[in-house]
Amino acid sequence: MTPEETAVLERLRAICLALPEVEERQSHGEPTWFIRGKRTLVMFCDHHHGARLGFWCPAAEGVQELRIEQDPDTFYRPPYVGVRGWLGVNLDDDPDWDDVQDMVRDAYRKVAPKTLVARLD
């Protein structure tokens, strides 16, 4: 991984680990963040499933389609989990980190237990 890619991973890692009871471990050869060790929150993609650096996360109903329609260079339907509404996000072209943080927090709200979501608000 290049220094730039490492910096992207570190920034995404900081966003994920700032959320209540999130932990990181490898899954399918990539850094992945879980809530209470069970529910997948974010999967990092280091060119494993394509030529771009990015992440996948669950999204609310309709968000995947809307984001892809608005910006197909940044957003995509990831393999395997895209059919369940997950959103793929490319990070290799100067991402809007405020937007990334919002997407990760929205994903957390979607999959975390209500008691943990309450700690965000």
Side-chain angles (χ1 to χ4, degrees):
M1 200 179 314
T2 69
E4 294 82 13
E5 292 169 343
T6 299
V8 166
L9 172 58
E10 290 303 320
R11 193 138 183 205
L12 181 61
R13 177 177 282 135
I15 290 169
C16 293
L17 293 177
L19 298 167
E21 297 191 41
V22 170
E23 60 188 47
E24 178 182 336
R25 68 176 188 266
Q26 293 284 310
S27 179
H28 300 88
E30 305 281 11
T32 304
W33 293 272
F34 295 86
I35 301 167
R36 292 186 172 165
K38 295 180 182 175
R39 297 179 187 197
T40 306
L41 172 63
V42 170
M43 297 178 67
F44 184 69
C45 302
D46 180 16
H47 309 102
H48 181 71
H49 295 285
R52 301 195 65 185
L53 184 72
F55 73 96
W56 304 347
C57 67
E61 188 173 331
V63 170
Q64 179 197 75
E65 295 83 7
L66 180 65
R67 288 293 193 128
I68 292 169
E69 183 180 309
Q70 291 173 337
D71 186 357
D73 290 332
T74 301
F75 302 102
Y76 61 96
R77 185 179 193 179
Y80 316 115
V81 294
V83 296
R84 291 185 285 167
W86 281 51
L87 181 64
V89 183
N90 290 320
L91 295 175
D92 55 1
D93 191 24
D94 193 29
D96 176 344
W97 285 102
D98 290 334
D99 192 32
V100 169
Q101 182 171 7
D102 289 345
M103 284 184 276
V104 171
R105 290 176 69 86
D106 289 346
Y108 185 88
R109 284 184 178 90
K110 182 169 174 51
V111 298
K114 290 179 182 170
T115 55
L116 293 181
V117 173
R119 290 170 52 185
L120 287 180
D121 305 321

PDB file of all heavy atoms in Angstrom, residues 16-35:
ATOM      1  N   CYS A  16     -14.342   5.217  11.910  1.00  0.00           N
ATOM      2  CA  CYS A  16     -15.056   4.022  12.373  1.00  0.00           C
ATOM      3  C   CYS A  16     -14.840   3.764  13.862  1.00  0.00           C
ATOM      4  O   CYS A  16     -15.797   3.496  14.599  1.00  0.00           O
ATOM      5  CB  CYS A  16     -14.612   2.803  11.564  1.00  0.00           C
ATOM      6  SG  CYS A  16     -15.094   2.857   9.826  1.00  0.00           S
ATOM      7  N   LEU A  17     -13.608   3.853  14.298  1.00  0.00           N
ATOM      8  CA  LEU A  17     -13.301   3.517  15.689  1.00  0.00           C
ATOM      9  C   LEU A  17     -13.781   4.568  16.685  1.00  0.00           C
ATOM     10  O   LEU A  17     -13.790   4.314  17.892  1.00  0.00           O
ATOM     11  CB  LEU A  17     -11.806   3.250  15.851  1.00  0.00           C
ATOM     12  CG  LEU A  17     -11.303   1.994  15.135  1.00  0.00           C
ATOM     13  CD1 LEU A  17      -9.796   1.855  15.295  1.00  0.00           C
ATOM     14  CD2 LEU A  17     -12.026   0.740  15.640  1.00  0.00           C
ATOM     15  N   ALA A  18     -14.197   5.722  16.199  1.00  0.00           N
ATOM     16  CA  ALA A  18     -14.749   6.754  17.087  1.00  0.00           C
ATOM     17  C   ALA A  18     -16.184   6.427  17.511  1.00  0.00           C
ATOM     18  O   ALA A  18     -16.711   7.045  18.436  1.00  0.00           O
ATOM     19  CB  ALA A  18     -14.709   8.113  16.395  1.00  0.00           C
ATOM     20  N   LEU A  19     -16.796   5.453  16.849  1.00  0.00           N
ATOM     21  CA  LEU A  19     -18.180   5.086  17.150  1.00  0.00           C
ATOM     22  C   LEU A  19     -18.227   4.078  18.302  1.00  0.00           C
ATOM     23  O   LEU A  19     -17.310   3.258  18.458  1.00  0.00           O
ATOM     24  CB  LEU A  19     -18.843   4.513  15.899  1.00  0.00           C
ATOM     25  CG  LEU A  19     -18.927   5.499  14.734  1.00  0.00           C
ATOM     26  CD1 LEU A  19     -19.308   4.786  13.450  1.00  0.00           C
ATOM     27  CD2 LEU A  19     -19.908   6.607  15.056  1.00  0.00           C
ATOM     28  N   PRO A  20     -19.298   4.119  19.096  1.00  0.00           N
ATOM     29  CA  PRO A  20     -19.394   3.232  20.268  1.00  0.00           C
ATOM     30  C   PRO A  20     -19.317   1.747  19.923  1.00  0.00           C
ATOM     31  O   PRO A  20     -20.003   1.268  19.019  1.00  0.00           O
ATOM     32  CB  PRO A  20     -20.775   3.568  20.856  1.00  0.00           C
ATOM     33  CG  PRO A  20     -21.079   4.951  20.374  1.00  0.00           C
ATOM     34  CD  PRO A  20     -20.436   5.046  19.018  1.00  0.00           C
ATOM     35  N   GLU A  21     -18.424   1.054  20.632  1.00  0.00           N
ATOM     36  CA  GLU A  21     -18.257  -0.396  20.588  1.00  0.00           C
ATOM     37  C   GLU A  21     -17.936  -0.949  19.203  1.00  0.00           C
ATOM     38  O   GLU A  21     -18.338  -2.058  18.845  1.00  0.00           O
ATOM     39  CB  GLU A  21     -19.472  -1.090  21.204  1.00  0.00           C
ATOM     40  CG  GLU A  21     -19.619  -0.734  22.678  1.00  0.00           C
ATOM     41  CD  GLU A  21     -20.628  -1.586  23.410  1.00  0.00           C
ATOM     42  OE1 GLU A  21     -20.665  -2.815  23.162  1.00  0.00           O
ATOM     43  OE2 GLU A  21     -21.375  -1.020  24.228  1.00  0.00           O
ATOM     44  N   VAL A  22     -17.195  -0.168  18.430  1.00  0.00           N
ATOM     45  CA  VAL A  22     -16.723  -0.632  17.123  1.00  0.00           C
ATOM     46  C   VAL A  22     -15.309  -1.163  17.283  1.00  0.00           C
ATOM     47  O   VAL A  22     -14.486  -0.573  17.973  1.00  0.00           O
ATOM     48  CB  VAL A  22     -16.768   0.511  16.079  1.00  0.00           C
ATOM     49  CG1 VAL A  22     -16.058   0.101  14.788  1.00  0.00           C
ATOM     50  CG2 VAL A  22     -18.213   0.894  15.781  1.00  0.00           C
ATOM     51  N   GLU A  23     -15.053  -2.280  16.652  1.00  0.00           N
ATOM     52  CA  GLU A  23     -13.712  -2.865  16.667  1.00  0.00           C
ATOM     53  C   GLU A  23     -13.325  -3.269  15.252  1.00  0.00           C
ATOM     54  O   GLU A  23     -14.182  -3.456  14.390  1.00  0.00           O
ATOM     55  CB  GLU A  23     -13.657  -4.060  17.610  1.00  0.00           C
ATOM     56  CG  GLU A  23     -14.603  -5.172  17.238  1.00  0.00           C
ATOM     57  CD  GLU A  23     -14.675  -6.263  18.294  1.00  0.00           C
ATOM     58  OE1 GLU A  23     -14.815  -5.932  19.481  1.00  0.00           O
ATOM     59  OE2 GLU A  23     -14.586  -7.440  17.909  1.00  0.00           O
ATOM     60  N   GLU A  24     -12.054  -3.397  15.043  1.00  0.00           N
ATOM     61  CA  GLU A  24     -11.527  -3.732  13.717  1.00  0.00           C
ATOM     62  C   GLU A  24     -10.884  -5.103  13.730  1.00  0.00           C
ATOM     63  O   GLU A  24     -10.217  -5.480  14.688  1.00  0.00           O
ATOM     64  CB  GLU A  24     -10.472  -2.704  13.312  1.00  0.00           C
ATOM     65  CG  GLU A  24      -9.826  -2.975  11.975  1.00  0.00           C
ATOM     66  CD  GLU A  24      -8.745  -1.971  11.624  1.00  0.00           C
ATOM     67  OE1 GLU A  24      -8.770  -0.844  12.146  1.00  0.00           O
ATOM     68  OE2 GLU A  24      -7.871  -2.319  10.809  1.00  0.00           O
ATOM     69  N   ARG A  25     -11.107  -5.830  12.651  1.00  0.00           N
ATOM     70  CA  ARG A  25     -10.368  -7.070  12.405  1.00  0.00           C
ATOM     71  C   ARG A  25     -10.389  -7.343  10.903  1.00  0.00           C
ATOM     72  O   ARG A  25     -11.152  -6.733  10.170  1.00  0.00           O
ATOM     73  CB  ARG A  25     -10.920  -8.229  13.216  1.00  0.00           C
ATOM     74  CG  ARG A  25     -12.278  -8.725  12.844  1.00  0.00           C
ATOM     75  CD  ARG A  25     -12.653  -9.958  13.697  1.00  0.00           C
ATOM     76  NE  ARG A  25     -13.858 -10.555  13.244  1.00  0.00           N
ATOM     77  CZ  ARG A  25     -15.073 -10.311  13.714  1.00  0.00           C
ATOM     78  NH1 ARG A  25     -15.222  -9.455  14.701  1.00  0.00           N
ATOM     79  NH2 ARG A  25     -16.131 -10.906  13.227  1.00  0.00           N
ATOM     80  N   GLN A  26      -9.559  -8.234  10.480  1.00  0.00           N
ATOM     81  CA  GLN A  26      -9.489  -8.599   9.065  1.00  0.00           C
ATOM     82  C   GLN A  26     -10.677  -9.479   8.698  1.00  0.00           C
ATOM     83  O   GLN A  26     -11.066 -10.369   9.460  1.00  0.00           O
ATOM     84  CB  GLN A  26      -8.198  -9.356   8.771  1.00  0.00           C
ATOM     85  CG  GLN A  26      -6.949  -8.521   8.909  1.00  0.00           C
ATOM     86  CD  GLN A  26      -6.764  -7.586   7.742  1.00  0.00           C
ATOM     87  OE1 GLN A  26      -6.828  -7.977   6.586  1.00  0.00           O
ATOM     88  NE2 GLN A  26      -6.544  -6.327   8.036  1.00  0.00           N
ATOM     89  N   SER A  27     -11.235  -9.212   7.543  1.00  0.00           N
ATOM     90  CA  SER A  27     -12.284 -10.061   6.989  1.00  0.00           C
ATOM     91  C   SER A  27     -12.078 -10.091   5.482  1.00  0.00           C
ATOM     92  O   SER A  27     -11.984  -9.030   4.854  1.00  0.00           O
ATOM     93  CB  SER A  27     -13.663  -9.509   7.331  1.00  0.00           C
ATOM     94  OG  SER A  27     -14.678 -10.314   6.765  1.00  0.00           O
ATOM     95  N   HIS A  28     -11.958 -11.263   4.928  1.00  0.00           N
ATOM     96  CA  HIS A  28     -11.693 -11.430   3.502  1.00  0.00           C
ATOM     97  C   HIS A  28     -10.424 -10.670   3.083  1.00  0.00           C
ATOM     98  O   HIS A  28     -10.358 -10.100   1.996  1.00  0.00           O
ATOM     99  CB  HIS A  28     -12.894 -10.990   2.667  1.00  0.00           C
ATOM    100  CG  HIS A  28     -14.126 -11.777   2.968  1.00  0.00           C
ATOM    101  ND1 HIS A  28     -15.006 -11.419   3.964  1.00  0.00           N
ATOM    102  CD2 HIS A  28     -14.608 -12.909   2.419  1.00  0.00           C
ATOM    103  CE1 HIS A  28     -15.991 -12.290   4.013  1.00  0.00           C
ATOM    104  NE2 HIS A  28     -15.771 -13.212   3.093  1.00  0.00           N
ATOM    105  N   GLY A  29      -9.451 -10.620   3.984  1.00  0.00           N
ATOM    106  CA  GLY A  29      -8.167 -10.010   3.683  1.00  0.00           C
ATOM    107  C   GLY A  29      -8.126  -8.496   3.759  1.00  0.00           C
ATOM    108  O   GLY A  29      -7.125  -7.888   3.388  1.00  0.00           O
ATOM    109  N   GLU A  30      -9.190  -7.875   4.234  1.00  0.00           N
ATOM    110  CA  GLU A  30      -9.267  -6.409   4.296  1.00  0.00           C
ATOM    111  C   GLU A  30      -9.640  -5.960   5.700  1.00  0.00           C
ATOM    112  O   GLU A  30     -10.376  -6.657   6.406  1.00  0.00           O
ATOM    113  CB  GLU A  30     -10.345  -5.890   3.329  1.00  0.00           C
ATOM    114  CG  GLU A  30     -10.193  -6.320   1.900  1.00  0.00           C
ATOM    115  CD  GLU A  30      -9.157  -5.525   1.125  1.00  0.00           C
ATOM    116  OE1 GLU A  30      -8.395  -4.753   1.740  1.00  0.00           O
ATOM    117  OE2 GLU A  30      -9.112  -5.674  -0.102  1.00  0.00           O
ATOM    118  N   PRO A  31      -9.176  -4.773   6.113  1.00  0.00           N
ATOM    119  CA  PRO A  31      -9.642  -4.227   7.388  1.00  0.00           C
ATOM    120  C   PRO A  31     -11.166  -4.039   7.332  1.00  0.00           C
ATOM    121  O   PRO A  31     -11.701  -3.528   6.345  1.00  0.00           O
ATOM    122  CB  PRO A  31      -8.946  -2.874   7.486  1.00  0.00           C
ATOM    123  CG  PRO A  31      -7.767  -2.975   6.578  1.00  0.00           C
ATOM    124  CD  PRO A  31      -8.209  -3.895   5.468  1.00  0.00           C
ATOM    125  N   THR A  32     -11.825  -4.500   8.375  1.00  0.00           N
ATOM    126  CA  THR A  32     -13.280  -4.423   8.450  1.00  0.00           C
ATOM    127  C   THR A  32     -13.649  -4.030   9.872  1.00  0.00           C
ATOM    128  O   THR A  32     -13.017  -4.468  10.823  1.00  0.00           O
ATOM    129  CB  THR A  32     -13.921  -5.781   8.080  1.00  0.00           C
ATOM    130  OG1 THR A  32     -13.448  -6.159   6.780  1.00  0.00           O
ATOM    131  CG2 THR A  32     -15.423  -5.717   8.064  1.00  0.00           C
ATOM    132  N   TRP A  33     -14.677  -3.200   9.988  1.00  0.00           N
ATOM    133  CA  TRP A  33     -15.100  -2.727  11.305  1.00  0.00           C
ATOM    134  C   TRP A  33     -16.439  -3.339  11.660  1.00  0.00           C
ATOM    135  O   TRP A  33     -17.368  -3.384  10.837  1.00  0.00           O
ATOM    136  CB  TRP A  33     -15.149  -1.202  11.320  1.00  0.00           C
ATOM    137  CG  TRP A  33     -13.758  -0.661  11.194  1.00  0.00           C
ATOM    138  CD1 TRP A  33     -12.891  -0.412  12.207  1.00  0.00           C
ATOM    139  CD2 TRP A  33     -13.065  -0.366   9.990  1.00  0.00           C
ATOM    140  NE1 TRP A  33     -11.684   0.020  11.700  1.00  0.00           N
ATOM    141  CE2 TRP A  33     -11.765   0.066  10.334  1.00  0.00           C
ATOM    142  CE3 TRP A  33     -13.406  -0.424   8.642  1.00  0.00           C
ATOM    143  CZ2 TRP A  33     -10.824   0.451   9.396  1.00  0.00           C
ATOM    144  CZ3 TRP A  33     -12.463  -0.056   7.699  1.00  0.00           C
ATOM    145  CH2 TRP A  33     -11.190   0.377   8.086  1.00  0.00           C
ATOM    146  N   PHE A  34     -16.523  -3.814  12.897  1.00  0.00           N
ATOM    147  CA  PHE A  34     -17.699  -4.519  13.387  1.00  0.00           C
ATOM    148  C   PHE A  34     -18.236  -3.825  14.635  1.00  0.00           C
ATOM    149  O   PHE A  34     -17.467  -3.223  15.405  1.00  0.00           O
ATOM    150  CB  PHE A  34     -17.330  -5.959  13.773  1.00  0.00           C
ATOM    151  CG  PHE A  34     -16.890  -6.806  12.621  1.00  0.00           C
ATOM    152  CD1 PHE A  34     -15.570  -6.802  12.204  1.00  0.00           C
ATOM    153  CD2 PHE A  34     -17.796  -7.608  11.951  1.00  0.00           C
ATOM    154  CE1 PHE A  34     -15.150  -7.595  11.146  1.00  0.00           C
ATOM    155  CE2 PHE A  34     -17.383  -8.399  10.889  1.00  0.00           C
ATOM    156  CZ  PHE A  34     -16.068  -8.394  10.481  1.00  0.00           C
ATOM    157  N   ILE A  35     -19.520  -3.957  14.845  1.00  0.00           N
ATOM    158  CA  ILE A  35     -20.157  -3.466  16.057  1.00  0.00           C
ATOM    159  C   ILE A  35     -20.329  -4.665  16.981  1.00  0.00           C
ATOM    160  O   ILE A  35     -20.933  -5.665  16.594  1.00  0.00           O
ATOM    161  CB  ILE A  35     -21.521  -2.824  15.749  1.00  0.00           C
ATOM    162  CG1 ILE A  35     -21.342  -1.667  14.772  1.00  0.00           C
ATOM    163  CG2 ILE A  35     -22.196  -2.364  17.042  1.00  0.00           C
ATOM    164  CD1 ILE A  35     -22.626  -1.158  14.171  1.00  0.00           C
TER     165      ILE A  35
END
